[in-house]
Every structure is written in structure tokens, then in C-alpha cells.
Amino acid sequence: MSNINLIIEERAVNIGKFMVGRLLPFRQKRMVGPFIYIDHMGPVQMNERENVDVFAHPHIGLSTLTFLFEGSMMHRDTIGTEVEIKPGAVNWMTAGKGIVHSERTPEYLRHSSKSMHGLQIWVALPKELEQMEPEFFHIEKEQIPAWEEDGLQYKLIAGEACGRKSPVPVYSKLYLIEIKADTTQTVKLGSELYGESGLYILEGSIESEDNVFAPKQLLIAKDSKLCEFTIRAGSSIYIFGGETFPEERFIDWNFVSSDKALIEEAKQKWIAQKFDKIKGEENDFVPYPAPKR
């Protein structure tokens, strides 16, 4: 019996001057554990006139995780954070009751050729923490647990698994694991995982139960305890998941909550521009999207 419950193909989505590959949410699978939203950004090459400029926009009820493979971005937010993220580091922003942030190409790169490639992830907060005070943490590449085992390179980007714990301060039981293979190997992670589990193939391929799966595919497992597959040489994959929440989560634009009233309140607050402003970016913001006709 196959352990793959669902195969999700990466879908191209325009998020304003920038195309991404959307993985979650999906109509047949809204969440995997606490993971509610995953975008694959790039890879994109930009010339000296092209830059990433994601203007100020709000969030509630979630944490965002940014992980780059290539490029650099400057994060600014309304709690005073201003930090550049580079490949291998993690930006972890918890919106809680509300935060506004922007993401842009750093000033020193704006007039040169550059690349951008990475993952943008949203993790829903437990119900009792949806209205917590907003926070931001930057974790350097060197702080992320990394190890080699049976010819494979592992990184525990966030959460707990494999007897290790990432310093990313998550608020629920979850894991985000990077696995890279120089040679073809068998991966047996079943006893290390828990809750729901998904596997995203960034590069290369994996083989499971005589089926070969290719890049830009997200595989949802029926049972994380049965996680065994062959990873081909030159492949990079990401396994993520964790314990599910008992309550449903709703999404409206950038807002996530178990309570629709909180989402409506945040929506009206943003339309009225009553969220805090990012210093120096008071006039640059993303408006609430107009209804589709």
C-alpha cells in the first residue's frame, strides 16, 4: 500500500512584480501540521534595474519563516527590526496580534546583477497564542543544526527531530528538515517524525514504491512513521510537518486565525491604515486586494 496520500504540483502565482511557485495551501490540503502556506521563490536572475520590493504589508495569527538558497533581502518591520537575510540563515517573524513588514533588495545590491531563490513559509500559531505580542528573530546559518549521516547532509532548519532541536523559537511541535545527497541513498526517517508530514523536492528526484518523483512536487504522506524512500544523487529535498491543531484555520489575504472575526477586524484596520507604520516607509504599502469580479 502506498504511503503517498496526495501529490501537489508547484503552481505559478504572481504576487506583484514577482512570480512564485505556490505549494500550500491547496484545495485538497489546506495545511500540513501547523504549516499553512509555502511559496518557492525563484530562482530568478535580476539585472541592475530589477529589484525585489515587497512593500509594507500586515500579518496576524502566524509566524513567517524565510529561508534563502541564493540572494539577499532586507527585512524591516513595525517593532523596529532591520536585518539582512543571506542564504542559509532563518528569519522568523511571529505576527501574533499584528505586525507590518517589508522585504526588499538591500541598498548595496540595487544597482548590480543579482539572484533570488528561497522558501517563504507561514506557520499558524496555536489558538491561545494567536493574539500574542509580535516578535522577530534572526538565526545565522552557523547556528542551524547540520550533520552528515550515511552519505547524506542534513539541516534541521526549524523545530525538533532526529534527536536535535533548532534554535528557531517555534510555538508548536513541528520540523523542517533539509536533506542533500551527493550519492544515491536510502532515507529512513519514519521513527524520527510525527504528526502530518510533507516532502518537497527542490532539485533532483526521489523514488518511493517504484515511483519516481521530480522537482517542484510536494508529496503528502499518509503516515509520517512510514517515511522511507530513495534519494537520487544531486538531489535537495525538504521534509516538513508536525502536530495538527484541533481548530480549523482561516486565511484572508495575509491574515490567519481560528476566529473569522479577528480576520475581519484586521482587514478593516489595514484598509483604514490604522496598523503601525514602518519608519521611513510610511507611504509605501500593499493595499488590501480588490474583490475579484
Side-chain angles (χ1 to χ4, degrees):
M1 183 178 71
S2 172
N3 187 39
I4 297 170
N5 191 45
L6 182 66
I7 301 168
I8 300 174
E9 301 283 348
E10 194 172 298
R11 294 146 286 143
V13 175
N14 190 331
I15 60 170
K17 299 183 181 179
F18 203 64
M19 295 297 292
V20 298
R22 177 82 25 99
L23 294 160
L24 284 179
F26 185 63
R27 62 185 179 276
Q28 292 167 261
K29 188 64 178 170
R30 307 303 295 177
M31 297 176 70
V32 176
F35 290 80
I36 196 166
Y37 182 105
I38 302 179
D39 273 354
H40 174 210
M41 304 182 292
V44 62
Q45 299 297 318
M46 294 172 280
N47 62 34
E48 63 276 5
R49 297 179 303 279
E50 296 174 311
N51 293 291
V52 174
D53 281 302
V54 181
F55 291 162
H57 59 283
H59 291 288
I60 66 164
L62 55 80
S63 297
T64 64
L65 188 155
T66 303
F67 186 76
L68 299 182
F69 312 128
E70 300 173 41
S72 175
M73 270 198 305
M74 185 63 71
H75 166 101
R76 295 184 180 89
D77 62 39
T78 45
I79 58 173
T81 311
E82 183 169 338
V83 65
E84 180 183 358
I85 184 171
K86 294 183 178 181
V90 172
N91 272 5
W92 177 260
M93 181 185 77
T94 297
K97 66 182 184 181
I99 197 169
V100 177
H101 76 129
S102 66
E103 294 165 303
R104 301 172 183 259
T105 300
E107 198 60 41
Y108 72 95
L109 291 174
R110 294 186 75 83
H111 304 291
S112 58
S113 297
K114 63 200 77 78
S115 60
M116 178 58 63
H117 191 198
L119 294 175
Q120 189 75 56
I121 295 170
W122 294 359
V123 179
L125 286 167
K127 182 179 175 64
E128 66 273 14
L129 295 176
E130 286 183 325
Q131 289 287 285
M132 67 179 281
E133 292 295 323
E135 297 178 337
F136 181 90
F137 295 91
H138 176 83
I139 296 88
E140 295 289 358
K141 176 182 179 180
E142 295 74 21
Q143 297 173 269
I144 301 296
W147 68 99
E148 291 194 23
E149 193 174 311
D150 298 328
L152 300 171
Q153 293 87 50
Y154 291 84
K155 285 183 184 175
L156 180 59
I157 298 167
E160 293 185 59
C162 306
R164 294 167 171 85
K165 183 176 181 178
S166 167
V168 176
V170 303
Y171 286 102
S172 59
K173 287 222 33 166
L174 62 87
Y175 47 85
L176 173 58
I177 305 166
E178 175 188 87
I179 305 177
K180 294 191 173 189
D182 294 328
T183 58
T184 298
Q185 301 285 346
T186 298
V187 179
K188 296 181 180 180
L189 274 180
S191 61
E192 306 292 344
L193 305 181
Y194 48 88
E196 292 187 321
S197 193
L199 188 158
Y200 171 60
I201 304 166
L202 176 70
E203 297 172 321
S205 62
I206 71 160
E207 184 177 341
S208 176
E209 296 150 336
D210 298 323
N211 295 306
V212 177
F213 300 97
K216 299 188 177 182
Q217 288 187 317
L218 170 58
L219 314 179
I220 307 298
K222 287 179 182 174
D223 183 354
S224 64
K225 299 289 187 292
L226 303 176
C227 194
E228 182 176 331
F229 56 89
T230 299
I231 183 170
R232 299 274 178 83
S235 298
S236 297
I237 65 171
Y238 293 83
I239 296 176
F240 65 94
E243 301 293 353
T244 59
F245 295 132
E247 320 86 8
E248 183 179 0
R249 290 299 181 278
F250 305 102
I251 302 180
D252 184 333
W253 190 43
N254 296 319
F255 307 127
V256 170
S257 182
S258 60
D259 184 347
K260 288 183 177 180
L262 288 174
I263 290 178
E264 182 61 25
E265 181 183 308
K267 170 185 167 182
Q268 296 305 326
K269 185 177 175 182
W270 182 250
I271 290 171
Q273 280 298 291
K274 291 183 178 177
F275 272 82
D276 291 342
K277 309 282 188 182
I278 300 172
K279 189 175 180 180
E281 300 188 28
E282 290 84 359
N283 298 318
D284 293 335
F285 63 90
V286 181
Y288 184 82
K292 293 180 181 178
R293 294 184 178 181

